[in-house]
């Protein structure tokens, strides 16, 4: 009886802690929604838990602002983030498959080289990257923001670790014996087995590209090619007399909608197992 009461108490404490943690995590989003319904003067007065009446006014002012093409910026960010997530997961999985499945001279060196590149910060190579874009005439273009995501050492390492835990050699060998080409093996067998890992990295890659400000600020110059982080920074650094906190909170509110949609579609694959249909060694 004592053990049962102790277990019941511990379970209730865990539930209370998880509820408190959930509330603390969602509280900033609540403040964001509240402030998106308030005008600049109301926001300047400080915190309020009550919704305002300026939601549509803020949205209208934002859409009418010619200096902040928010619809175009949303499209640019969705396009760049989607392509980054697609390219980084597909080609990283392909690279991991090649390193994991094939035995060749220099395999260990190639693996170590990729891990070494993973330690180099983006800021270190940014100058050379900009000079390269100028030479190949890709400066101020959206593809310059997502094509480099093909080479993603961190995603490669995650995919490699996932393959060592889930991908069976016997499945690939059986497909080869049946005469299946290598690309078909990768696309029809390896990719479905790696779906949970790909979903996780796709979410991370999408969010990382969506929030990226450093590289787009260096590459993009045209107003119609700006992404959401540049637009938010532009609103925040505007002239104080023209500065409107209501518009800032509104554009941030609009900016999180695609992230929520992506998570809703991909999150179910995170917890799914990859052992269904697999062959045990």
């Amino acid at each position: 009886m004592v053990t049962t009461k102790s277990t019941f108490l511990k379970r209730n404490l865990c539930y209370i802690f998880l509820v408190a943690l959930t509330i603390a995590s969602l509280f900033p989003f609540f403040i964001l929604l509240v402030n998106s319904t308030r005008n600049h003067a109301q926001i300047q007065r400080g915190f309020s838990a009550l919704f305002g009446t300026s939601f549509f006014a803020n949205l209208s002012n934002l859409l009418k602002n010619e200096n902040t093409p928010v619809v175009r910026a949303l499209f640019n960010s969705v396009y760049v983030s989607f392509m980054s997530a697609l390219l980084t997961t597909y080609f990283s999985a392909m690279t991991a498959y090649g390193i994991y499945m094939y035995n060749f001279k220099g395999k260990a060196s190639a693996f170590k080289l990729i891990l070494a590149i993973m330690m180099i910060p983006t800021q270190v190579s940014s100058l050379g990257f900009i000079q390269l874009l100028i030479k190949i005439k890709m400066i101020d273009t959206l593809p310059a923001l997502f094509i480099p995501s093909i080479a993603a050492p961190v995603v490669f390492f995650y995919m490699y670790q996932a393959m060592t835990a889930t991908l069976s050699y016997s499945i690939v060998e059986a497909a080869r014996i049946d005469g299946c080409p290598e690309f078909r093996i990768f696309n029809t067998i390896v990719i479905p087995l790696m779906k949970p890992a790909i979903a996780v990295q796709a979410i991370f890659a999408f969010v990382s590209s969506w929030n990226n400000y450093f590289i787009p600020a260096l590459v993009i110059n045209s107003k119609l090619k700006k992404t959401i982080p540049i637009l938010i920074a532009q609103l925040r650094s505007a002239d104080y007399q023209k500065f409107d906190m209501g518009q800032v909170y509104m554009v941030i509110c609009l900016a999180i909608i695609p992230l929520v949609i992506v998570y809703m579609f991909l999150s179910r694959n995170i917890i799914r197992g990859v052992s269904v249909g697999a062959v045990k060694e």
Side-chain angles (χ1 to χ4, degrees):
M1 178 64 83
V2 177
T3 304
T4 304
K5 290 183 177 180
S6 177
T7 305
F8 179 76
L9 179 61
K10 290 180 180 179
R11 182 180 300 174
N12 287 339
L13 289 175
C14 289
Y15 286 150
I16 293 173
F17 175 76
L18 291 175
V19 169
L21 189 62
T22 302
I23 294 174
S25 300
L26 295 178
F27 185 72
F29 295 97
F30 173 74
I31 296 301
L32 173 62
L33 292 176
V34 170
N35 286 339
S36 66
T37 64
R38 305 168 69 201
N39 57 38
H40 179 76
Q42 292 172 338
I43 295 174
Q44 289 293 95
R45 296 193 192 106
F47 169 77
S48 174
L50 300 177
F51 288 90
T53 59
S54 303
F55 179 86
F56 292 103
N58 292 334
L59 181 61
S60 177
N61 293 334
L62 180 64
L63 295 177
K64 291 179 181 179
N65 192 340
E66 297 181 355
N67 295 323
T68 56
V70 63
V71 177
R72 183 70 181 186
L74 282 171
F75 173 79
N76 293 338
S77 290
V78 169
Y79 173 61
V80 170
S81 300
F82 174 79
M83 292 300 299
S84 297
L86 178 65
L87 294 177
T88 192
T89 51
Y90 184 80
F91 285 98
S92 295
M94 183 180 292
T95 306
Y97 174 76
I99 298 292
Y100 173 70
M101 191 57 62
Y102 294 99
N103 292 319
F104 54 90
K105 187 177 181 180
K107 175 179 177 178
S109 300
F111 183 78
K112 293 178 181 178
L113 177 62
I114 296 175
L115 295 185
I117 295 174
M118 184 173 63
M119 304 300 175
I120 302 177
T122 304
Q123 291 79 1
V124 173
S125 58
S126 59
L127 179 60
F129 176 65
I130 298 301
Q131 292 177 344
L132 175 63
L133 292 180
I134 294 174
K135 289 182 180 179
I136 62 178
K137 298 180 180 180
M138 285 192 67
I139 199 73
D140 197 26
T141 61
L142 293 180
L145 301 180
F146 60 78
I147 291 179
S149 61
I150 291 176
V154 177
V155 182
F156 155 79
F157 181 72
Y158 181 89
M159 294 294 182
Y160 182 85
Q161 295 297 322
M163 285 185 182
T164 58
T166 60
L167 182 59
S168 173
Y169 280 98
S170 60
I171 298 177
V172 178
E173 291 171 356
R176 288 172 178 171
I177 292 173
D178 291 338
C180 187
E182 289 296 322
F183 274 103
R184 187 175 179 184
I185 293 174
F186 177 74
N187 291 322
T188 61
I189 297 177
V190 177
I191 290 295
L193 288 174
M194 297 292 297
K195 192 178 294 184
I198 291 175
V200 172
Q201 290 304 311
I203 292 175
F204 290 160
F206 190 95
V207 174
S208 177
S209 179
W210 185 271
N211 295 330
N212 188 13
Y213 171 77
F214 179 69
I215 294 298
L218 296 177
V219 174
I220 301 301
N221 300 318
S222 303
K223 181 173 68 174
L224 295 179
K225 295 180 181 179
K226 291 180 179 180
T227 56
I228 282 294
I230 299 178
L231 207 64
I232 294 174
Q234 180 178 317
L235 278 172
R236 187 65 181 84
S237 60
D239 181 37
Y240 183 78
Q241 294 181 349
K242 300 179 180 180
F243 182 64
D244 189 354
M245 285 292 293
Q247 292 188 37
V248 174
Y249 278 104
M250 178 56 65
V251 72
I252 296 174
C253 185
L254 294 177
I256 67 173
I257 294 176
L259 300 180
V260 174
I261 294 174
V262 169
Y263 180 79
M264 289 175 60
F265 275 97
L266 296 180
S267 61
R268 62 179 182 178
N269 292 318
I270 297 176
I271 58 177
R272 287 180 58 186
V274 293
S275 59
V276 179
V279 179
K280 294 183 179 180
E281 293 286 356

